[in-house]
Amino acid sequence: MALLDWAKKADFDMIFKRYNVIIEGPAIKPEDDPDVKKVLPKDEPFKSLAMSVIFGDTEKAVQAAKSALDRVSPLDVIEKGLAKGMDAVSALYAKGAYFLPDIMLSADAMTAAMQLAEQKLGRAREKKGTVVSFVAEGDPHDIGKNLVVMFLKANGFEAVDLGRDVPDKDVIEAVKKYKPVMLTGTALMTTTMTAFPRVAKALQEQGIAVPIFGCGGGAVKRDFVESYDMGVYGVKAFHAPKLAEAALAGKSWKDIRKEYPKIVGEFVAEYADRM
């Protein structure tokens, strides 16, 4: 029997279905997700700009930006369209509907469109503040750090990316040079996460105050990060912009430890004792 003939006669209800499709029901479109609806603009051209970011479509994002820039200001293109799209992407990532490749495609689309807006604006968008990010010395794993940097940039922060396997002295020099509102560090291994208390101690000894020393990574746990001054355990990469905004608003690392779930605006199992 030819495949087409078989398909016409087949009873598809008798064919195996993936268990999550049965349990969770049919997939819904990203724009129909309740959390996306909360942030998705309703009016054009902002909705089209946001949708192009949500779908990670660089070509459409550029076209939407070109069209929008004839009608609205470059800042509105960024703040009311592109940034809202990235907010939606963050929401989808937070609930496990989007994954790392989706985030990267959306970030590329937003960056390409934002460059057009900044060209018309005549300058780069004013940054909220500077954050320095690094992977601990001896550690080559940088996926977590890359996500943190991406979320920070998408939310209007100047993210200084020091890369991976960064010597402690280079981190300290970068803090001196850039005077960040927050310093983030990631480590995947127990042998490398000891860089965090070393860096924190060295900064304190030199009289350098960094509002937050946010740390996360595979082997890193909250009790370890809170065993030294300035340490704040960052649970998810997309929490980084909210922690940076809290630091920018004047909250100390002690405040942020205490108010972490409130600051990120959601239940955080790792901070259940502080809900």
Side-chain angles (χ1 to χ4, degrees), residues 1-12:
M1 183 183 296
L3 180 60
L4 186 59
D5 293 334
W6 174 85
K8 289 178 180 177
K9 296 178 180 178
D11 181 355
F12 287 95

Side-chain angles (χ1 to χ4, degrees), residues 39-219:
V39 296
L40 188 64
K42 292 181 174 58
D43 300 325
E44 296 292 354
F46 307 116
K47 184 176 181 180
S48 293
L49 287 162
M51 290 299 297
S52 65
V53 173
I54 292 172
F55 284 103
D57 191 325
T58 298
E59 186 175 342
K60 284 189 177 178
V62 169
Q63 289 301 322
K66 286 180 179 176
S67 174
L69 287 168
D70 290 335
R71 293 176 280 166
V72 297
S73 74
L75 282 177
D76 282 349
V77 166
I78 295 172
E79 301 293 345
K80 296 182 179 179
L82 301 173
K84 295 298 180 185
M86 209 61 203
D87 287 345
V89 171
S90 298
L92 292 167
Y93 179 75
K95 64 197 313 179
Y98 266 27
F99 299 93
L100 182 57
D102 303 301
I103 300 288
M104 295 173 69
L105 288 171
S106 294
D108 287 346
M110 178 174 178
T111 300
M114 196 160 66
Q115 285 175 346
L116 288 176
E118 289 181 343
Q119 284 173 9
K120 185 152 187 177
L121 189 64
R123 57 179 171 79
R125 179 174 54 151
E126 187 174 347
K127 305 299 182 187
K128 294 178 180 176
T130 300
V131 176
V132 170
S133 298
F134 72 100
V135 179
E137 185 170 9
D139 203 315
H141 307 93
D142 62 356
I143 291 177
K145 183 267 300 170
N146 292 342
L147 283 171
V148 167
V149 168
M150 188 179 58
F151 280 117
L152 287 167
K153 287 182 176 178
N155 282 274
F157 283 91
E158 180 70 42
V160 179
D161 184 353
L162 300 183
R164 56 191 176 185
D165 186 14
V166 184
D168 297 355
K169 63 180 179 57
D170 290 355
V171 177
I172 294 160
E173 287 304 313
V175 172
K176 289 180 180 176
K177 179 178 179 182
Y178 296 106
K179 298 178 174 53
V181 297
M182 184 171 80
L183 174 64
T184 76
T186 55
L188 189 68
M189 302 181 293
T190 54
T191 52
T192 56
M193 67 184 191
T194 53
F196 302 147
R198 288 200 311 269
V199 170
K201 184 180 179 183
L203 289 171
Q204 282 188 311
E205 288 176 348
Q206 297 188 43
I208 299 172
V210 181
I212 310 175
F213 187 79
C215 301

Side-chain angles (χ1 to χ4, degrees), residues 29-42 54 88 91:
K29 297 178 181 177
E31 62 268 34
D32 292 333
D33 184 281
D35 291 331
V36 172
K37 284 184 175 179
K38 291 178 185 174
V39 296
L40 188 64
K42 292 181 174 58
I54 292 172

